[in-house]
Amino acid sequence: MPNSLGNLGSLIENFLPWLGLAIPILLPLGVLRRSATALLALLAAAAVWAAQYGPSLLPQGSVEHDLTVVQHNVSDENDNPSATARTIIDAGPDLIALEELTGPAVAVYKATFRSRYPHHAVMGTVGLWSRYPLVETEVMDIRPRAIQRDWSRGLRATVRIDPRRDIAVYVAHLPSVRIRPSNGFDAQWRDESAALLGDAITADKTAHVLLMGDLNGTTKDRGLSPITSQLSSSDEEFEFSWPRAFPVARIDQVMGRGTTVTEVWTLPATGSDHLPLAAHIKLPGLSDEPAVTQR
């Protein structure tokens, strides 16, 4: 579907799994009309939906992994950051990426995470906590041109998993999207920010890259193609993370290049309007790797 009319293509791509609901709704109409053509079309649509999304509904066995990570937009209106931190800790992650951090909340997260996650970096409203040393950190400038105010929602860190393996970890919070009567699905700022982030990842020569963040879009949204064309994620389509009360889309993402996101799942609700997203990461072996991959 083209984006020329109110960016409609991108909007629908964020809710693709829900299109399957049209099948049981239209089926009785096809039966009542006794239309073989309509019934065949519905069966074809059902087959396509089942092939695309059916595997995500099947039980998943244990998957080999090297790292567990948690990605969470904790909300700048969260009134209980300490409880949020405990929910995250209970998942046993090695890396934690947080967005919408405020000054008072950062102090709580630092205190709560300190014993298990001694290495951290906070830049603007995003932060990374790690069990492993951070040997390099920097701000990622993903601010759209039209935003003139102080706005810092991206960082990059080099995480030293062991003496012979570094991974580049990005934490990003792309601009929000809106549905407006005047121009439909307004994602211009988000798409511009996604392009900047995609350029940074393209230029990054590190062999192993991991992105965690609130991208305000699903991996099917073409507006995120500068990122999704380079990085991949798990195939679990129904681990929706937003909104908390009735999740309808996974706009929080964990994606990798040179690393494999083997599975993702949501954690219990916190004081945020997003659900935390956990993921298992598989790293390749060390036999054919250089000691440290330089950027």
Side-chain angles (χ1 to χ4, degrees):
M1 181 169 291
N3 265 341
S4 54
L5 180 62
N7 214 23
L8 191 58
S10 280
L11 176 62
I12 290 177
E13 286 163 350
N14 281 288
F15 303 101
L16 281 178
W18 296 97
L19 295 182
L21 293 177
I23 296 170
I25 293 173
L26 294 175
L27 182 59
L29 297 177
V31 173
L32 288 173
R33 289 182 57 86
R34 297 181 180 180
S35 169
T37 302
L39 291 174
L40 287 173
L42 284 171
L43 287 174
V48 171
W49 189 94
Q52 179 69 36
Y53 299 109
S56 296
L57 297 174
L58 299 175
Q60 303 293 320
S62 59
V63 180
E64 185 180 1
H65 63 278
D66 298 302
L67 297 174
T68 300
V69 304
V70 168
Q71 144 62 30
H72 192 23
N73 178 329
V74 294
S75 175
D76 53 13
E77 298 179 353
N78 190 333
D79 61 3
N80 196 348
S82 60
T84 297
R86 289 192 297 271
T87 296
I88 293 171
I89 289 173
D90 287 345
D94 301 291
L95 301 172
I96 301 168
L98 303 182
E99 300 85 44
E100 286 200 16
L101 292 170
T102 63
V106 167
V108 174
Y109 291 121
K110 285 182 178 180
T112 310
F113 291 149
R114 182 175 294 121
S115 61
R116 298 192 186 189
Y117 306 97
H119 313 284
H120 73 275
V122 175
M123 298 182 179
T125 59
V126 301
L128 174 68
W129 277 261
S130 171
R131 289 180 51 228
Y132 304 101
L134 307 182
V135 297
E136 179 186 42
T137 59
E138 61 181 302
V139 173
M140 293 305 304
D141 185 5
I142 56 173
R143 179 174 57 179
R145 291 185 300 274
I147 298 179
Q148 300 300 318
R149 63 183 185 276
D150 185 27
W151 193 95
S152 180
R153 290 166 52 161
L155 70 80
R156 179 197 181 276
T158 300
V159 180
R160 182 147 295 167
I161 301 300
D162 61 42
R164 295 194 61 204
R165 177 157 41 182
D166 288 354
I167 61 174
V169 177
Y170 289 80
V171 181
H173 184 191
L174 301 190
S176 299
V177 296
R178 296 287 186 270
I179 299 178
R180 307 181 191 277
S182 58
N183 56 356
F185 184 56
D186 187 353
Q188 180 178 347
W189 285 2
R190 185 210 60 184
D191 294 353
E192 185 179 346
S193 190
L196 293 171
L197 180 57
D199 289 344
I201 293 171
T202 299
D204 198 321
K205 303 307 179 184
T206 309
H208 311 305
V209 174
L210 187 65
L211 167 65
M212 297 184 282
D214 174 2
L215 304 189
N216 273 303
T218 70
T219 57
K220 298 293 192 292
D221 187 331
R222 71 192 72 176
L224 299 182
S225 60
I227 300 168
T228 55
S229 62
Q230 305 183 67
L231 308 179
S232 60
S233 186
S234 170
D235 292 330
E236 280 92 351
E237 298 281 357
F238 293 93
E239 293 297 332
F240 301 141
S241 64
W242 178 89
R244 177 190 61 187
F246 186 77
V248 296
R250 190 173 89 216
I251 63 175
D252 298 274
Q253 306 296 344
V254 177
M255 310 182 72
R257 182 185 74 198
T259 64
T260 303
V261 183
T262 57
E263 60 180 329
V264 299
W265 69 98
T266 53
L267 301 179
T270 68
S272 171
D273 56 336
H274 293 239
L275 294 176
L277 188 74
H280 281 155
I281 311 297
K282 178 63 180 172
L283 300 175
L286 297 176
S287 59
D288 56 352
E289 294 184 12
V292 175
T293 306
Q294 298 295 331
R295 185 168 182 250

